[in-house]
Amino acid sequence: RSQLSRQAFGSVVEHGDEGVILADGSGVIVWANVAASRVLEAPSAQLIGRLGFDLCRPEHLSRAREEFARCLAHPGEPVLLSVDARGGEGEFRPVAAKLVNGLEDPDVRAVVVYVHDAPSTGATATPGAAVAEHEYQTLFENALVGLGVADMEGNLLAFNDAIREPGGYTR
């Protein structure tokens, strides 16, 4: 597989349709892309530095903390979570999230959160300086939607499992 630059992975992740948040081990948001800002109805500048749990409806907070802890304790295993999250205007809206502790550095306690609008039940992002190349690659590979990077002739240079699996293709 071809090695792509941080810039190539970064561009796909930062401007893709997949809402992506990187939170540290305590749940503080350290980075959010454009799509996450759209889903949460808040510019990334309002999300970065904020405790992610503060966005949860109070009655969903306990479950969110439990699932976050479970995610940290089991690297690589996705944890699905649906909560009502507070948007930029202060109103709650249903959000579906997939949490993954997929960073390869054992000294980093962080969770990647993929967020989507959830079915209703009852700005421009500025990347944080701490987002390293392997983190972009992890975000790219674990996205819930199929992502690929092709050359000018249409040859796939990199792709994630979500683009491969529906057709039954192998790498």
Side-chain angles (χ1 to χ4, degrees):
R1 172 161 117 172
S2 173
Q3 290 295 322
L4 293 176
S5 70
R6 174 189 183 277
Q7 186 176 24
F9 279 116
S11 181
V12 171
V13 172
E14 289 171 23
H15 302 290
D17 291 335
E18 180 82 6
V20 182
I21 294 170
L22 180 63
D24 70 14
S26 64
V28 173
I29 297 170
V30 296
W31 182 82
N33 72 352
V34 173
S37 294
R38 178 192 50 77
V39 170
L40 296 173
E41 299 177 334
S44 64
Q46 289 180 7
L47 297 171
I48 294 171
R50 191 169 184 187
L51 185 62
F53 299 118
D54 289 347
L55 299 174
C56 290
R57 183 179 294 279
E59 49 271 26
H60 296 175
L61 185 57
S62 176
R63 184 168 35 92
R65 286 185 184 278
E66 288 171 12
E67 297 301 330
F68 189 83
R70 186 164 67 98
C71 179
L72 283 174
H74 301 283
E77 291 182 23
V79 174
L80 303 179
L81 175 66
S82 293
V83 297
D84 288 346
R86 186 183 324 272
E89 299 294 318
E91 295 180 12
F92 288 102
R93 60 182 297 163
V95 173
K98 175 176 127 178
L99 291 67
V100 181
N101 180 4
L103 302 178
E104 296 176 14
D105 185 342
D107 294 328
V108 176
R109 287 181 43 115
V111 171
V112 179
V113 181
Y114 302 94
V115 294
H116 297 277
D117 292 313
S120 184
T121 57
T124 303
T126 303
V131 179
E133 183 172 345
H134 73 279
E135 293 168 335
Y136 275 124
Q137 189 162 351
T138 298
L139 297 171
F140 178 87
E141 290 173 355
N142 288 294
L144 293 175
V145 296
L147 298 174
V149 178
D151 63 18
M152 295 300 287
E153 295 162 358
N155 299 307
L156 277 175
L157 302 174
F159 49 89
N160 65 0
D161 287 341
I163 202 171
R164 180 187 59 73
E165 290 172 349
Y169 296 104
T170 61
R171 291 200 174 272

